[in-house]
Amino acid sequence: MRQQDMERNIVIIGNGVAGITAARFIRKNSYDRITVISSESDHFFSRTALMYIYMGHMTYQDTKPYEDWFWTKNRIDLIRDRVVAVDTDARRLEMGSGKPVSYDVLIIASGSQSNKFGWPGQDLRGVQGLYSLEDLEEMERQTVDISRAVVVGGGLIGIEMAEMLHSRHIPVTFLVRERSYMDYLLPAEESAIVDAEIRAHQIDLRLSTELAEITGNDAGHVNGVMTNHGERIECGFVGLTSGVRPNVGFLKGSAIELDRGVLVNDRFQTSADDVYAIGDCAQFIDPTVAHRPIEQLWYTARKHGKTVARTICGSPTRYERGAFFNSAKFFTLEYQTYGDIRSDLPDTQETLLWHNRSGRRLVRINFDSESRRVVGFNAFGVRLRHEVCEKWLLEGAVVDRVLPQLSLADFDPECAEWRLASAAAAINYSG
Ligand SMILES: Cc1cc2nc3c(=O)[nH]c(=O)nc-3n(C[C@H](O)[C@H](O)[C@H](O)COP(=O)(O)OP(=O)(O)OC[C@H]3O[C@@H](n4cnc5c(N)ncnc54)[C@H](O)[C@@H]3O)c2cc1C
């Protein structure tokens, strides 16, 4: 048999980090034909860098991790089109262009889309989420010559949008339903630091405030919002940033089982033969496989892509979730979290907390009261070394061993200040 007769036709829906990582790792280990389809862009770009384009720190070109010739050189075919339906019996994708695409193996890596909750006025011009390149272009158009913007939803994308608008000197009102920023994830001290950081940048932060209605003018353009407290805020732009959900609408009516996302086992296999799903659109049937049934993070999407590539290339591999990690930048404040840090400390855990006087540097270490094993780290304004924290968490290091060695996790050698935390071993310390 000739080599081309043995080659499978592997088709990937989505050129985000999950789909592209799968494509790259399959190419490293096989001669199969690989086709990546995206309706969004010709080439892979870093979604997490979208804000920096608006802020003028990067161009779109800078956000592409690979040169445009990389795909031809690696025999990865790119199609710019929208998949509108999947026929798993015929192994065929129906496309927006009308030209169907056949597959032997299909990987669905279609990502997320912004949530909308049916607010009156949500479809007015000047009202939008921030997820895609198209959203960014729309935001460019809609934020020219406006005297105020309102951002609704206190998550990671909401604070990014507030910062983007602030960078263009547009006054921003930020409506956050919670009593403090992200208090459903962050312990009270950390949440308060972010509230202060937001306000320090002249953002009009409205806590415990929800959007009731968006109002528009006769031309169909937004001109204000009403809050649940009955207050009207005049504005020319509304950012809706109340989370994202898996982008799976085009799979409805197919034989692929869906819940909120595409249901997968720990090898990313769906209910249909030779169909896999990875990244933000995948939902684990067994919720213990991952940190959350739907993981919506850059590094997890990458890990999904790498893992599914191994399975498809003949080494069936289960997903190894590793230690949870996330990082973000809230205006000028860097944040990292590792492992299991909850907003409310469980009865079975204890916490060690260090922060400096200004409150802009903070390190928290949570550990299990009985075994004394460290379960998580939070850091604000201090960079911890990923590999060190992850190792301690995965090997179940006890807090009494971690504290004297904290400097191993210290990313900023010039920042000796926070090493005092180790001296504060047994007590919560504020230095
Ligand atoms: C503004 C912003 C900032 C973020 N910042 C961070 C961060 O700091 N850290 C972090 O960990 N995560 C961050 N995230 C989340 C992170 O970007 C996502 O978790 C990650 O991009 C998911 O990758 P993915 O490959 O699963 O999907 P996506 O990146 O969403 O890619 C999916 C692709 O599939 C295409 N597609 C979907 N349906 C179809 C179809 N029917 N036909 C053709 N193409 C289709 C989409 O257009 C898209 O191009 C951020 C997200 C946003 C929006």
Side-chain angles (χ1 to χ4, degrees):
M1 202 184 282
R2 293 171 310 159
Q3 185 181 305
Q4 63 260 42
D5 296 330
M6 298 188 298
E7 287 171 7
R8 295 170 299 173
N9 189 13
I10 299 177
V11 175
I12 302 172
I13 306 174
N15 69 350
V17 62
I20 285 301
T21 305
R24 284 177 43 237
F25 281 87
I26 292 170
R27 175 51 70 239
K28 280 182 197 232
N29 293 298
S30 91
Y31 293 103
D32 292 312
R33 282 181 57 198
I34 302 173
T35 304
V36 181
I37 303 171
S38 173
S39 52
E40 183 180 16
S41 60
D42 290 335
H43 299 106
F44 169 50
F45 69 94
S46 170
R47 194 171 300 290
T48 57
L50 277 180
M51 68 183 291
Y52 299 111
I53 303 178
Y54 185 91
M55 291 166 70
H57 302 179
M58 287 174 113
T59 64
Y60 169 62
Q61 199 62 23
D62 299 330
T63 67
K64 292 196 276 185
Y66 303 94
E67 299 291 341
D68 292 352
W69 48 257
F70 176 88
W71 312 103
T72 320
K73 182 170 176 246
N74 288 285
R75 293 185 302 108
I76 296 173
D77 296 333
L78 305 177
I79 296 182
R80 181 85 184 266
D81 203 347
R82 178 176 298 281
V83 179
V84 293
V86 178
D87 181 341
T88 51
D89 290 335
R91 296 195 179 218
R92 194 179 60 223
L93 308 180
E94 304 303 338
M95 309 297 292
S97 65
K99 287 187 209 151
V101 173
S102 299
Y103 67 85
D104 298 315
V105 175
L106 177 66
I107 302 176
I108 303 165
S110 54
S112 296
Q113 62 188 90
S114 303
N115 279 332
K116 279 187 172 181
F117 292 107
W119 289 291
Q122 68 179 18
D123 296 321
L124 289 163
R125 259 184 302 116
V127 180
Q128 64 166 94
L130 175 63
Y131 192 83
S132 62
L133 265 179
E134 202 181 333
D135 291 338
L136 188 75
E137 284 156 12
E138 185 64 8
M139 189 169 164
E140 277 287 350
R141 285 190 289 273
Q142 297 298 338
T143 54
V144 176
D145 291 336
I146 57 168
S147 50
R148 175 163 297 276
V150 172
V151 176
V152 181
L156 294 175
I157 298 180
I159 199 168
E160 280 192 4
M161 215 184 210
E163 184 176 354
M164 290 160 76
L165 294 157
H166 173 73
S167 76
R168 297 207 180 175
H169 309 289
I170 299 168
V172 180
T173 298
F174 190 15
L175 307 187
V176 173
R177 187 178 55 182
E178 290 71 34
R179 281 185 298 176
S180 184
Y181 179 78
M182 265 183 25
D183 66 1
Y184 49 91
L185 280 181
L186 296 173
E189 291 83 357
E190 283 88 323
S191 180
I193 293 179
V194 189
D195 288 348
E197 179 73 0
I198 295 169
R199 291 195 164 117
H201 287 83
Q202 297 85 44
I203 305 294
D204 172 26
L205 174 64
R206 307 288 184 93
L207 297 171
S208 305
T209 305
E210 291 181 46
L211 174 67
E213 185 186 347
I214 306 167
T215 60
N217 59 22
D218 292 343
H221 198 282
V222 61
N223 63 10
V225 301
M226 293 293 295
T227 71
N228 61 335
H229 303 305
E231 185 187 358
R232 178 173 163 78
I233 302 166
E234 305 263 338
C235 63
F237 177 83
V238 174
L240 297 178
T241 57
S242 299
V244 296
R245 62 177 187 279
N247 183 6
V248 295
F250 66 102
L251 298 170
K252 288 190 179 136
S254 77
I256 300 164
E257 265 185 53
L258 304 175
D259 182 35
R260 282 188 296 140
V262 185
L263 289 170
V264 293
N265 64 13
D266 58 4
R267 289 177 186 167
F268 301 99
Q269 289 162 318
T270 71
S271 59
D273 287 345
D274 296 317
V275 180
Y276 300 80
I278 54 173
D280 276 25
C281 70
Q283 177 180 346
F284 292 102
I285 298 165
D286 173 357
T288 62
V289 169
H291 297 283
R292 299 204 180 107
I294 302 177
E295 297 185 306
Q296 294 162 324
L297 293 171
W298 183 267
Y299 89 95
T300 50
R302 213 172 159 272
K303 251 174 139 175
H304 293 188
K306 222 168 154 177
T307 310
V308 84
R310 288 178 63 83
T311 296
I312 287 173
C313 293
S315 308
T317 305
R318 291 179 203 285
Y319 181 52
E320 293 260 352
R321 64 182 196 162
F324 179 78
F325 164 70
N326 198 7
S327 68
K329 200 159 173 226
F330 303 120
F331 289 89
T332 57
L333 199 61
E334 287 190 55
Y335 159 63
Q336 289 174 298
T337 186
Y338 297 88
D340 179 19
I341 301 265
R342 302 181 204 174
S343 52
D344 291 316
L345 190 69
D347 293 343
T348 53
Q349 290 180 12
E350 290 174 47
T351 195
L352 282 174
L353 178 69
W354 172 89
H355 59 85
N356 70 354
R357 268 184 231 289
S358 72
R360 289 182 57 81
R361 286 183 191 274
L362 174 150
V363 176
R364 176 187 297 278
I365 305 175
N366 282 8
F367 59 98
D368 183 87
S369 312
E370 209 171 297
S371 67
R372 299 189 65 78
R373 287 183 172 183
V374 168
V375 297
F377 299 87
N378 261 4
F380 270 81
V382 171
R383 274 200 205 168
L384 300 180
R385 284 188 186 277
H386 188 128
E387 62 280 10
V388 176
C389 294
E390 186 170 51
K391 182 167 166 283
W392 282 334
L393 290 170
L394 292 180
E395 68 189 23
V398 292
V399 66
D400 315 270
R401 176 158 83 79
V402 166
L403 283 174
Q405 296 182 19
L406 265 183
S407 57
L408 293 178
D410 186 348
F411 196 83
D412 299 318
E414 75 277 15
C415 171
E417 217 184 349
W418 78 276
R419 290 190 204 126
L420 288 170
S422 58
I427 49 162
N428 287 351
Y429 175 81
S430 170

